[in-house]
Each structure stands twice: as structure tokens, then as C-alpha cells.
Amino acid sequence: MKMELNIVDFYSDVLNIYGDIGNLLCLKKRCQWRDITINQKCFSIGEDIDLDYEDTDLILIGGGSDRNQEAIANNFLNQRKYIDSYLDNDGVLLAVCGSYQMFGNNFKNIDGMDINCLEIFDMETIISKDRLIGDIILNSNIELGNDKIVGFENHGGNSYHDYNTLGIVDIGFGNNKDAVDEGLVFKNFIGTYLHGPLLPKNPHLADYLILSALKNKYEISSLSPLDDSIESKAHDFMVNKYLS
Ligand code: GLN
């Protein structure tokens, strides 16, 4: 059965710190390798965006500086109804760092200026001058077939919420300076501080997102396996560097 996914990518020309656009490239390639057609729509600020949540299968948004978050905030708030309806209908969405923060309540940047947020999740983000920077490894809280998720974090924002999290922190900081866990998982929304980009070094998480999106459209329970020897080498290098 020929399958296809409609992927919407927001602001990757502005929120693309540490190459978060790599998440889109990774998902596209893993779908192409499986002969799954990708219909990609990329949007940025200044564009009139008129999207139908029922015609969207996967949304990706990356991270960036406080200034870049401010730059997209107004346009992002205009997408709230669409994104809220999309998530309510089990839409698959990956938000990295700065965009993850903006799904919560408003927060102030390092200069005390408000950065307006979607207020979809009851999450507080408090910017601190001490940044949380470095490699990060999680023990995944979602069943991925490989229990480790590796990445890199660099954020001044400390996020606090009571939702399920992506993983327990083995190495690194996580949601805030005192956190034992990281990210936010709600239905098919995944928010995370992990850059890298995240997905190329975590093919199991990439496939989790692809399969979750396909399950919303097709009677499918698994994906055909790929040769992930190179991806696993990069992933295992990080795990062995810190955990062996
Ligand atoms: N500007 C936000 C912070 O410093 C997000 C940073 C990012 O996306 N890496 O917390």
C-alpha cells in the first residue's frame, strides 16, 4: 500500500539552532527509504498560513535564541487554534527547546521581557542567567525499542510542569537545573530540550514519530526495518562515551 505523510515545518529558517532542521531531513529520508511519499510544507514568519489540521500528519518546530523566539511569537500565536485542534486529534508534533517552551505559559527573557506563548500546556519556563549546556542522555519513558535517547542541550530556560516526560536524565540537566527528567509527552506531542539534531542519532525516536503519524491514517502496526548501522554508531558513541 502506497502511503504518504503531510509534514508541516514551522520557522526552520529562524528556529534552527544546532541544525534542528536535521529532524525534518531525517524523517523525510527514513520515509523515502520506505517508499512513503512526503508532502512537505515549510512556513515562516510574515507568511499567511492557512492550514487544515485534518490534512496535517506531522509538525516539526525547532529551537533558537530568546530573540528568535520573540521574532516568531506573533505568527506562532496565530497558529494556536490550528495546533490545538491538531493535538486534540492526536496529531504528531515534535517541538525542540525554544518552541517546546512556547507551548507553555508566557515567560520572560533574560532582560525581563515577556515572550508570548501558546499556553496549550500548563508549563512555566523561568529563564536563568546560568545556562544548562552540554551532552544529554535520557532513559526513555516511551517504548522505542532502544531505551536511550542522546542529544545536546543549551538553554537558559528552566521548565516546570506535571505532564509525562520524555525520559529520565542519565547525563545532563533536563527540564530545569534540579530536574531528574526531561521533556513533555502528551498524546502525540513531544517537547524536548534535545538538539543534535535529535532524530538522526535516535532513529528509534524518528521511527516512533513516523509510525505514530501513519497509524493515524492507515491500518499499520510496524515499519519495515532500515540499516541503521551508521546512525547506531553515532548514537552508541555518545552512550559509550558517558555510560560505559
Ligand atoms: N532561548 C531559549 C533558552 O535559552 C531556548 C534556547 C534553545 O532553543 N536552544 O532557554
Side-chain angles (χ1 to χ4, degrees):
M1 166 178 57
K2 184 74 175 145
M3 298 185 285
E4 64 177 12
L5 286 177
N6 302 326
I7 299 185
V8 171
D9 167 79
F10 279 115
Y11 317 122
S12 56
D13 56 339
V14 180
L15 295 181
N16 182 29
I17 203 165
Y18 301 111
D20 292 333
I21 186 75
N23 294 329
L24 173 65
L25 303 181
C26 173
L27 289 177
K28 282 173 61 179
K29 186 52 74 179
R30 295 186 74 78
C31 284
Q32 285 161 3
W33 284 331
R34 293 176 167 113
D35 198 25
I36 299 167
T37 301
I38 292 291
N39 306 310
Q40 164 194 322
K41 288 181 181 176
C42 295
F43 292 101
S44 193
I45 45 183
E47 294 181 64
D48 284 334
I49 301 174
D50 179 19
L51 286 164
D52 174 358
Y53 72 84
E54 290 177 304
D55 193 29
T56 306
D57 301 315
L58 224 163
I59 296 177
L60 295 172
I61 321 173
S65 66
D66 296 7
R67 191 175 305 117
N68 286 2
Q69 289 171 283
E70 287 159 32
I72 64 104
N74 289 339
N75 187 295
F76 197 31
L77 265 66
N78 290 337
Q79 315 316 320
R80 189 189 189 288
K81 187 171 178 296
Y82 154 75
I83 290 175
D84 200 28
S85 305
Y86 174 75
L87 294 175
D88 268 353
N89 286 273
D90 290 332
V92 179
L93 190 152
L94 175 67
V96 176
C97 203
S99 55
Y100 160 40
Q101 295 171 334
M102 296 178 77
F103 276 81
N105 304 324
N106 292 8
F107 72 97
K108 294 185 184 305
N109 70 10
I110 199 71
D111 302 319
M113 262 183 65
D114 274 326
I115 297 178
N116 293 325
C117 301
L118 294 183
E119 300 182 61
I120 286 179
F121 296 114
D122 184 16
M123 171 172 71
E124 292 304 322
T125 296
I126 300 161
I127 292 274
S128 73
K129 62 177 175 32
D130 300 324
R131 297 191 67 79
L132 309 182
I133 301 178
D135 291 332
I136 179 168
I137 299 176
L138 306 181
N139 255 310
S140 176
N141 287 335
I142 51 180
E143 182 47 54
L144 299 175
N146 177 328
D147 64 355
K148 299 295 184 190
I149 303 173
V150 301
F152 179 80
E153 63 184 322
N154 178 348
H155 50 109
N158 289 254
S159 295
Y160 302 86
H161 64 74
D162 294 325
Y163 298 94
N164 290 336
T165 54
L166 178 60
I168 306 299
V169 177
D170 264 339
I171 298 289
F173 295 99
N175 277 329
N176 57 69
K177 60 185 174 38
D178 306 311
V180 295
D181 52 7
E182 193 284 333
L184 190 160
V185 176
F186 186 80
K187 291 189 169 183
N188 280 331
F189 172 92
I190 293 181
T192 179
Y193 274 111
L194 274 70
H195 292 286
L198 171 65
L199 297 182
K201 278 190 274 193
N202 298 285
H204 41 293
L205 181 57
D207 282 354
Y208 173 85
L209 294 170
I210 293 169
L211 184 57
S212 299
L214 289 172
K215 281 181 178 175
N216 283 340
K217 289 179 88 169
Y218 304 102
E219 291 294 314
I220 179 174
S221 57
S222 64
L223 289 175
S224 54
L226 295 174
D227 172 5
D228 285 333
S229 48
I230 296 175
E231 294 85 349
S232 300
K233 216 168 180 178
H235 178 273
D236 295 347
F237 176 83
M238 285 284 290
V239 174
N240 297 331
K241 178 177 176 184
Y242 291 101
L243 299 178
S244 60

